[in-house]
Amino acid sequence: MAYSETKVVLGGLAHIPIIIGFFYLIRRQYSFGAMLRTGKNALSEKVTKATPAKAATPAKAATPAKAATPAKASAAKKPHADVPVNTYKPKAPFTGTVTENYSALRDGAIGKVQHITFDLSGGDPDFKYVEGQSCGILAAGEDAKGKPHRPRLYSIASTRYGDNFAGNTLSLCVRQLQYEKDGETINGVCSTYLCNLSPGDKVKISGPVGKEMLLPEEEDSNIIMLATGTGIAPMRAYLRRMFEPTEIEKHQWNFKGKAWLFMGAPKTANLLYDADFEHYKSKFPENLRYTKAISREQNNTKGGRMYIQDRVLEHAEEIFNMIENPKTHIYLCGLKGMEPGIDEAMATAASAKGLDWSELRPKLRKAGRWHAETY
Ligand code: FAD
Ligand code: A2P
């Protein structure tokens, strides 16, 4: 009897793992069904919690602990931190191919200014740039000492999408430097090389360089542009980004502020990209103003040549009202010689409002709202 009692007890104990296993299977089945119904399991839940979806929860986003996460760290990055610089150095330049090279002037204009486009495809890494940057050009041939020519800088006149919107070209606006010396006409090395290029020619390009002339990211910024001659190049890129319909479609950056271009040229026929800007103005009259100073056809109030600083003085009140708005940025590009004139005009305009320009200008610069590139 004692033997059979032991058998019964042992037999009963032997069923315990079977019963536990049975309940485990039922539980598992239930969880699996739930997973199928919700489409997620415990792992995906964890992943979801760690992804930006979390940042969308206002309560979580407000907690200081979140500031330490990598997502927040990238949000706190300096503006333009991702803008590429010096992808191609002068010692190892990219080789671009000219796709077009045509005159940017109209009949009767003074000098030679060309709009030149390069194909940038095939780079490893890609040659990428943004509006307001420049590039270096290494002219073919050698200097008087038998060394390769040093690179010359040129402001990029196209947006990051290029004139064909395909994101693989770069355009420049180049004036051929020519001057007289001892009765002889001297041609600038690099500008002459560029102006004489033909489609298919290969050109060594370095860069992109510069963060001085970048546009603010805010769509409701106000942009005042002061350009002389080829100083229009970066402004053309800005204006295409703001007002060219295909550009707007591409980048979904919908400019909502006020843009005001002051352009200085010697003659009407020298006004670069004038038809495009007039077109943008007619399409966006609330957002774009375009004021011209045509030095050899118009006179200032003193009877001298009309320069953009004279136009700045004429509109001083409105310009300073705009500058009082912290969303306003001022861009200056072109002849070095225009800087003192602009400074003087701004000082006069500022004092009429009881402001001291010598104090205000460094403040604007420090705030990243005064951008100047002259040469
Ligand atoms: P070079 O052969 O280098 O000759 C220039 C030299 O000639 C001068 O240094 C000076 O010594 C001498 N010289 C010039 N004029 C005279 C004169 N009247 N009398 C006596 N000597 C003289 N240019 C553009 O066309 N478009 C642009 O978009 C553009 N963007 C620029 C952006 C930046 C940031 C900078 C710094 C410059 C930019 N330039 C631009 C100017 C460009 O870099 C070159 O300086 C210009 O094309 C002349 O180069 P070059 O090789 O033809 O002349
Ligand atoms: P100007 O040459 O009649 O004296 P471009 O590069 O096509 O020649 O255009 C440059 C424009 O800038 C011209 O109208 C030129 O006038 C003008 N300009 C020349 N010097 C200054 C200056 N110091 N301040 C402002 N504009 C100037």
Side-chain angles (χ1 to χ4, degrees), residues 97-106 112-118 129 154-159 162-164 169-176 191 194-199 230 232-237 240 271-274 276-277 280:
T97 308
V98 178
T99 60
E100 50 181 1
N101 184 355
Y102 59 84
S103 173
L105 301 177
R106 280 169 287 165
K112 182 170 181 171
V113 180
Q114 297 290 116
H115 183 82
I116 311 162
T117 300
F118 303 92
Y129 64 89
Y154 293 89
S155 307
I156 299 174
S158 46
T159 71
D163 288 0
N164 64 358
T169 65
L170 173 157
S171 299
L172 301 178
C173 176
V174 179
R175 161 174 284 286
Q176 183 187 18
S191 58
L194 282 168
C195 288
N196 292 337
L197 288 168
S198 303
T230 52
I232 197 64
M235 280 64 167
R236 175 188 185 254
R240 281 177 74 84
L271 285 168
L272 303 166
Y273 312 109
D274 181 58
D276 292 345
F277 302 155
Y280 298 152

Side-chain angles (χ1 to χ4, degrees), residues 131 160-161 217-220 240-242 244-256:
E131 303 73 26
R160 67 191 77 183
Y161 298 103
E217 280 153 16
E218 294 75 27
E219 293 177 340
D220 59 349
R240 281 177 74 84
R241 183 160 172 80
M242 292 170 191
E244 187 67 39
T246 314
E247 278 287 333
I248 297 166
E249 259 171 51
K250 282 256 170 198
H251 54 51
Q252 300 292 310
W253 184 75
N254 298 306
F255 179 70
K256 296 184 190 79

